[in-house]
Amino acid sequence: MFSAAAAALLVTMGLALVRALKGPTVYDRILAVNMFGTKTVLMIAVLGFLAGRPEFLDIALVYALINFVTTIAVL
């Protein structure tokens, strides 16, 4: 079940990269990069669960904070 979630996250991360490269406006690109960061946080959490390593959640939380601050700084 979590393997399917990881595969779905990879697909949506690919779509976010396409939007980031192709976005018609700067705001679309910023939103796509923010979405990619959010999906990365989810991917780290899912992979941590699959590997049986709960400390990955700490890494995911730190990455989420960095992603949020970076998005606000760019905007």
Side-chain angles (χ1 to χ4, degrees):
M1 184 68 179
F2 285 101
S3 299
L9 281 171
L10 284 175
V11 169
T12 58
M13 288 171 81
L15 293 173
L17 279 179
V18 169
R19 175 50 69 189
L21 295 174
K22 228 175 123 174
T25 66
V26 163
Y27 299 111
D28 290 329
R29 290 184 173 131
I30 291 171
L31 182 65
V33 170
N34 187 21
M35 185 174 77
F36 186 83
T38 302
K39 298 298 180 186
T40 303
V41 169
L42 289 172
M43 180 64 79
I44 291 170
V46 168
L47 291 178
F49 183 79
L50 285 174
R53 305 213 32 199
E55 60 270 6
F56 276 23
L57 290 178
D58 296 334
I59 297 168
L61 284 173
V62 169
Y63 191 80
L65 288 171
I66 291 171
N67 183 34
F68 174 72
V69 169
T70 304
T71 301
I72 297 299
V74 169
L75 287 175

